[in-house]
Amino acid sequence: MNFPGQQSISELKSVVWSEALDLFEGNEKEAREWMSRSRPFLGNMAPEDMLDSYENIHRLRCFIQQIQRGVLP
């Protein structure tokens, strides 16, 4: 469901990619590898497989922000 003023899934995918790229200081190869591997803290899902719903994108963005702050779940 997309509410007025809410970003589309497509827009959010771009935001997540940008955040992942920032996480790896612009290293696209490392960011792509990170996005493609299963992560235990994400229920053994690969981050790229979580780009299918608002809820999963929110979980993924929270996870990336925790890593950026040095706080792992």
Side-chain angles (χ1 to χ4, degrees), residues 2 7-14 51-54 57:
N2 195 3
Q7 291 176 294
S8 69
I9 295 280
S10 178
E11 291 169 327
L12 288 172
K13 286 180 182 181
S14 294
L51 300 174
D52 61 348
S53 71
Y54 287 103
I57 290 172

Side-chain angles (χ1 to χ4, degrees), residues 1-62:
M1 185 180 319
N2 195 3
F3 298 102
Q6 184 179 29
Q7 291 176 294
S8 69
I9 295 280
S10 178
E11 291 169 327
L12 288 172
K13 286 180 182 181
S14 294
V15 170
V16 169
W17 172 248
S18 178
E19 291 172 345
L21 202 50
D22 286 347
L23 188 62
F24 291 94
E25 299 175 349
N27 186 321
E28 192 170 322
K29 182 178 184 243
E30 286 184 16
R32 286 191 190 284
E33 287 176 7
W34 184 85
M35 289 288 290
S36 68
R37 287 197 206 123
S38 297
R39 303 286 155 198
F41 293 113
L42 297 174
N44 287 320
M45 290 183 72
E48 68 186 7
D49 294 334
M50 297 184 71
L51 300 174
D52 61 348
S53 71
Y54 287 103
E55 181 181 342
N56 280 341
I57 290 172
H58 175 74
R59 285 182 52 222
L60 179 56
R61 292 187 70 202
C62 287

